[in-house]
Amino acid sequence: MSLSVKSHYLALRDMARSEIDTVLDVAQSLEPVANRTDRWPILADRTLATLFYEPSTRTRLSFETAMLRLGGSVLSVADAVRTSSVWKGETLADTIRTVHSYADVIAIRHSENGAAEEASKWSKVPIINAGDGTNEHPTQGLLDLFTIRREKGRIDGLKVAIVGDLKHTRSSNSLIYGLSNFDVRLTLVSPKGFEPNQVVLDRLQERARHFSVTEDLEAAVRDADVVYICRIQKERIPDKADVERIIGSYVVDRQLLTAAKRVPIVMHHLPRVGELAEDVDDYPGARYFEQPWNGVLVRMALLALLLAPSQVEGRIHRDRPMRAETAVPLND
Ligand code: NCD
């Protein structure tokens, strides 16, 4: 295997299938390191800075966990807007040209679309996009692909329903871009006015993927192998009347899932705020509390690929095979 080494991870839109496969394979190979049954401190003299201008639980903590499990160290700005010089009016360019002197890699979350790409123009160290506005959340998309592949043994051939506020959710954009590399059947379910942006649908069209956009949640769930639920992104919706209109109208609960022809895996990027009922938590297909662990593995893979690619290559050869060989049979 020869690794194509990237200098930044900014978007899933730009990633080829071979690059995605590499990240998922490396992530899988690192699980013994993540769960501490193996030690592999390849980033012992490296530092990650997490520079977060927006709230986060899973993304920031899993980045930091990933760095620590590879022996590295972490500098964290959890609330850059209030507790860093951003509050005084510092530009992103100036902040990046400061932080890159302290860290070997920067994971940035920002409220503006394109902020990670902008940061990459000023940074002398790799930038990882941890979410930029309503644009992308590529590391979430990769951990979602990893979860699907791990649970179903493959991604090709699956029927995937993505449900919720697909207009403002960056996780679903990245997941859709990622899935556009695979032979999937996608059903995109959202209330009227909350459909995915045309630029996202265009990518599916360009790649001739089979997809439909619908409001019919029940029909989509009935036929799915994977049901992926997204939060209504209240803070990104200018008209609060719109929020009121749709809140509660797209709830995935146990009863809805009993209508499914088979047991789909149920995923959510989290946090959930009502669109995924708690009575799904013990549903046999529920995987949304496994996703955060998979996020550690995928972020370990990205950090290792950016900062120690030759060592990763050595490990891959040692640990083959890493691709899930035992595909779970599809249900129809
Ligand atoms: C998401 C985010 O911030 O984009 N959370 C996450 O990283 N898992 C989704 C959200 O806030 O709804």
Side-chain angles (χ1 to χ4, degrees):
M1 172 183 216
S2 118
L3 295 175
S4 80
V5 178
K6 286 175 92 79
S7 40
H8 306 282
Y9 283 102
L10 302 177
L12 249 172
R13 184 180 171 81
D14 302 334
M15 281 178 77
R17 176 160 175 165
S18 59
E19 291 174 317
I20 294 172
D21 284 341
T22 298
V23 173
L24 306 194
D25 287 347
V26 173
Q28 196 171 312
S29 81
L30 290 175
E31 189 154 39
V33 183
N35 68 24
R36 299 191 173 112
T37 54
D38 187 11
R39 265 179 56 78
W40 202 46
I42 49 165
L43 303 185
D45 52 358
R46 303 301 187 93
T47 301
L48 162 73
T50 51
L51 186 56
F52 276 47
Y53 292 66
E54 281 190 342
S56 170
T57 301
R58 279 150 288 269
T59 305
R60 188 170 60 80
L61 293 181
S62 64
F63 260 117
E64 296 181 359
T65 302
M67 192 65 181
L68 295 170
R69 302 278 160 112
L70 288 167
S73 51
V74 169
L75 298 171
S76 191
V77 185
D79 184 5
V81 176
R82 274 185 296 182
T83 65
S84 75
S85 287
V86 173
W87 186 81
K88 302 174 187 170
E90 185 166 68
T91 64
L92 180 61
D94 288 2
T95 301
I96 293 295
R97 284 182 289 181
T98 303
V99 176
H100 71 184
S101 300
Y102 311 142
D104 302 289
V105 56
I106 300 171
I108 181 170
R109 166 168 288 188
H110 200 284
S111 55
E112 281 181 32
N113 294 19
E117 194 181 350
E118 173 68 14
S120 73
K121 293 182 187 145
W122 299 100
S123 180
K124 62 180 187 196
V125 302
I127 296 287
I128 306 178
N129 183 3
D132 63 323
T134 57
N135 178 39
E136 275 223 44
H137 191 353
T139 64
Q140 178 73 44
L142 288 166
L143 80 88
D144 293 335
L145 293 172
F146 182 88
T147 303
I148 296 170
R149 194 182 82 169
R150 161 170 272 186
E151 296 298 331
K152 305 299 284 184
R154 67 177 93 177
I155 298 174
D156 288 308
L158 296 177
K159 293 179 180 161
V160 182
I162 306 181
V163 179
D165 176 5
L166 306 188
K167 184 181 168 77
H168 303 99
T169 302
R170 53 196 176 199
S171 301
S172 53
N173 289 347
S174 291
L175 179 58
I176 294 168
Y177 286 137
L179 286 170
S180 74
N181 291 282
F182 296 85
D183 180 22
V184 288
R185 295 172 84 84
L186 267 181
T187 309
L188 305 171
V189 192
S190 52
K192 230 183 184 36
F194 291 81
E195 296 87 359
N197 295 307
Q198 194 56 43
V199 61
V200 179
L201 300 179
D202 286 348
R203 174 48 55 103
L204 291 170
Q205 235 134 25
E206 273 160 37
R207 295 190 165 158
R209 294 305 171 200
H210 184 284
F211 74 96
S212 59
V213 179
T214 176
E215 288 179 68
D216 192 343
L217 177 60
E218 207 177 307
V221 167
R222 198 177 307 131
D223 205 29
D225 299 300
V226 178
V227 177
Y228 188 100
I229 303 136
C230 299
R231 179 172 74 88
I232 306 292
Q233 304 276 311
K234 285 196 268 204
E235 68 277 26
R236 302 190 200 282
I237 302 172
D239 188 346
K240 296 303 159 210
D242 279 337
V243 177
E244 294 311 313
R245 185 167 57 80
I246 55 164
I247 232 153
S249 66
Y250 274 72
V251 179
V252 173
D253 60 13
R254 194 71 186 229
Q255 207 212 321
L256 182 83
L257 288 163
T258 57
K261 284 191 210 155
R262 43 194 178 264
V263 177
I265 61 164
V266 180
M267 299 171 62
H268 192 304
H269 49 71
L270 300 178
R272 61 176 158 182
V273 287
E275 65 286 329
L276 172 59
E278 287 181 13
D279 68 2
V280 182
D281 293 359
D282 59 359
Y283 180 73
R287 292 294 180 274
Y288 37 92
F289 289 118
E290 269 75 55
Q291 286 168 259
W293 172 250
N294 295 339
V296 174
L297 307 183
V298 162
R299 291 174 177 121
M300 285 172 79
L302 298 176
L303 292 167
L305 284 163
L306 283 170
L307 298 178
S310 53
Q311 297 194 61
V312 174
E313 190 148 24
R315 186 180 175 93
I316 288 171
H317 287 301
R318 212 177 52 195
D319 286 353
R320 272 171 183 280
M322 292 193 306
R323 203 73 54 83
E325 305 281 311
T326 46
V328 175
L330 297 179
N331 290 310
D332 62 351

